[in-house]
Amino acid sequence: GCVPANVVDNVTGLTALVGAEKAESIVKATGFSTRRVAAEGADVIDLALPAAKCALEGTGPMDIGGIVAVSFSSRDRFPALSARLQHALGLDTSIAAYDISMACSGWVYGLCAAAQMVRLTGKKVLLVDGDVQSAWTDRSDANTLAVMGDGASATLLAPGDGVWDFA
């Protein structure tokens, strides 16, 4: 995974909006005392690429049968995040690379899609999920601001003897 270096304390950040008592109440209710926030102008690929490189350590580009990228906050709609990652990682252009535009439940949908791709290709498939939510969050809405952070993860799925059942 990859998260921005900037850590925001939620009590401090929310106090200016709603006062100290309400800020502490929101933090207690959500369980989020801090959140990570990307630098102004950062895009999801800035977090997704380092996570993907880490997941692919020790794996050759020819071992990859596909890439699934999940995000709702990619600044650039074209080319797709998956295609930009495919290019930046030096993966073969003949492999499937596509995006799923989702937020919270996106990793689960991506996992199902990537697992099916592993079955079809018999090769490893890279699942990348990330968002820079801070760029899209209303900074005056204390109820959502406290839970919207930035980050990315990468999961490398590999064929094996196990059975993946998503029924």
Side-chain angles (χ1 to χ4, degrees), residues 10 14 23-34 142-144 146-147:
N10 272 338
L14 296 172
E24 288 177 21
S25 173
I26 291 171
V27 168
K28 184 177 179 182
T30 63
F32 292 104
S33 59
T34 62
N143 294 318
T144 57
V147 297

Side-chain angles (χ1 to χ4, degrees), residues 4 35-38 131-134 137 144-151:
R35 57 191 164 88
R36 299 291 182 119
V37 176
D131 281 302
V132 176
Q133 296 174 336
S134 61
T137 303
T144 57
L145 187 62
V147 297
M148 297 296 178
D150 303 330

Side-chain angles (χ1 to χ4, degrees), residues 12-135:
T12 303
L14 296 172
T15 297
L17 289 175
V18 295
E21 188 175 321
K22 177 73 173 170
E24 288 177 21
S25 173
I26 291 171
V27 168
K28 184 177 179 182
T30 63
F32 292 104
S33 59
T34 62
R35 57 191 164 88
R36 299 291 182 119
V37 176
E40 190 72 31
D43 187 31
V44 67
I45 196 165
D46 300 325
L47 302 172
L49 185 57
K53 286 180 178 178
C54 184
L56 291 175
E57 282 183 16
T59 301
M62 297 311 292
D63 296 331
I64 304 299
I67 181 170
V68 177
V70 181
S71 180
F72 77 92
S73 67
S74 186
R75 180 182 57 228
D76 300 320
R77 297 295 178 210
F78 184 80
L81 176 60
S82 57
R84 291 187 290 152
L85 287 167
Q86 181 182 28
H87 175 76
L89 294 167
L91 299 178
D92 195 294
T93 57
S94 68
I95 67 169
Y98 67 91
D99 287 19
I100 297 175
S101 181
M102 293 188 80
C104 298
S105 60
W107 187 86
V108 177
Y109 281 90
L111 178 64
C112 183
Q116 291 171 358
M117 196 182 298
V118 168
R119 282 186 184 159
L120 290 171
T121 65
K123 291 186 170 188
K124 296 176 181 177
V125 173
L126 180 65
L127 168 60
V128 179
D129 182 9
D131 281 302
V132 176
Q133 296 174 336
S134 61

